[in-house]
């Protein structure tokens, strides 16, 4: 299964990705975030950066709901992300090949159109 090191390795293998300095991980393409550590906020407690959970962009609300309902052991959300095309993924439960797919899809959602051509046709070349 996967961890923060896998997220870093796979995200940085995608074209034009930069990692922003953070307490966990935070990846951007074209200045837009597409994957980062989950900033857990519990009432009355300080925010905790969870590097065992990644926040990822998805296509839209329908895709978000399909992931949440189809694989609730892998994906979840919180009220703070209601209405946003974001899901959280439990890294310990996702195989690296699936994580590569999820990160690549998130990259596609956020990359400016002019960068899309730089994504390798054979995603096996990524990471």
């Amino acid at each position: 299964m996967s961890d923060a090191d896998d997220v870093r390795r796979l995200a940085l293998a995608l074209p034009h990705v930069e990692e922003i300095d953070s307490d966990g991980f935070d990846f951007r393409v074209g200045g837009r975030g597409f994957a980062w550590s989950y900033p857990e906020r519990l009432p009355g407690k300080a925010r905790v950066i969870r590097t065992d959970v990644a926040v990822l962009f998805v296509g839209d609300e329908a895709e978000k709901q399909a992931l949440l309902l189809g694989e609730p052991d892998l994906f979840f959300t919180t009220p703070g992300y209601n209405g946003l095309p974001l899901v959280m993924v439990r890294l310990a439960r996702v195989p690296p090949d699936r994580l590569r797919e999820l990160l690549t899809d998130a990259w596609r959602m956020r990359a400016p159109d002019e960068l899309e051509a730089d994504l390798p046709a054979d995603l096996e070349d990524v990471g």
Side-chain angles (χ1 to χ4, degrees):
M1 296 307 169
S2 300
D3 61 20
D5 290 336
D6 293 312
V7 173
R8 184 168 282 110
R9 175 179 57 82
L10 294 168
L12 290 174
L14 294 164
H16 307 289
V17 170
E18 61 181 327
E19 184 171 9
I20 304 303
D21 187 35
S22 71
D23 291 335
F25 52 82
D26 186 345
F27 299 99
R28 300 186 186 203
V29 59
R32 300 173 178 170
F34 70 95
W36 58 89
S37 305
Y38 171 45
E40 184 174 51
R41 293 175 181 90
L42 298 175
K45 296 190 178 191
R47 180 180 77 157
V48 175
I49 302 299
R50 302 234 346 236
T51 59
D52 63 321
V53 175
V55 180
L56 302 174
F57 261 82
V58 295
D60 55 27
E61 186 65 23
E63 183 177 348
K64 175 180 180 174
Q65 291 305 317
L67 292 169
L68 294 171
L69 295 171
E71 298 176 87
D73 59 322
L74 186 58
F75 299 101
F76 70 100
T77 191
T78 63
Y81 291 117
N82 285 349
L84 299 172
L86 302 169
V87 295
M88 279 70 85
V89 61
R90 294 173 178 94
L91 294 174
R93 297 183 182 179
V94 63
D97 285 347
R98 178 78 186 281
L99 181 60
R100 174 186 294 119
E101 174 188 326
L102 293 165
L103 287 167
T104 302
D105 288 348
W107 183 95
R108 282 188 175 112
M109 296 298 118
R110 301 296 284 167
D113 291 342
E114 63 270 14
L115 299 182
E116 181 82 22
D118 293 337
L119 190 64
D122 179 6
L123 293 181
E124 292 300 315
D125 294 340
V126 176

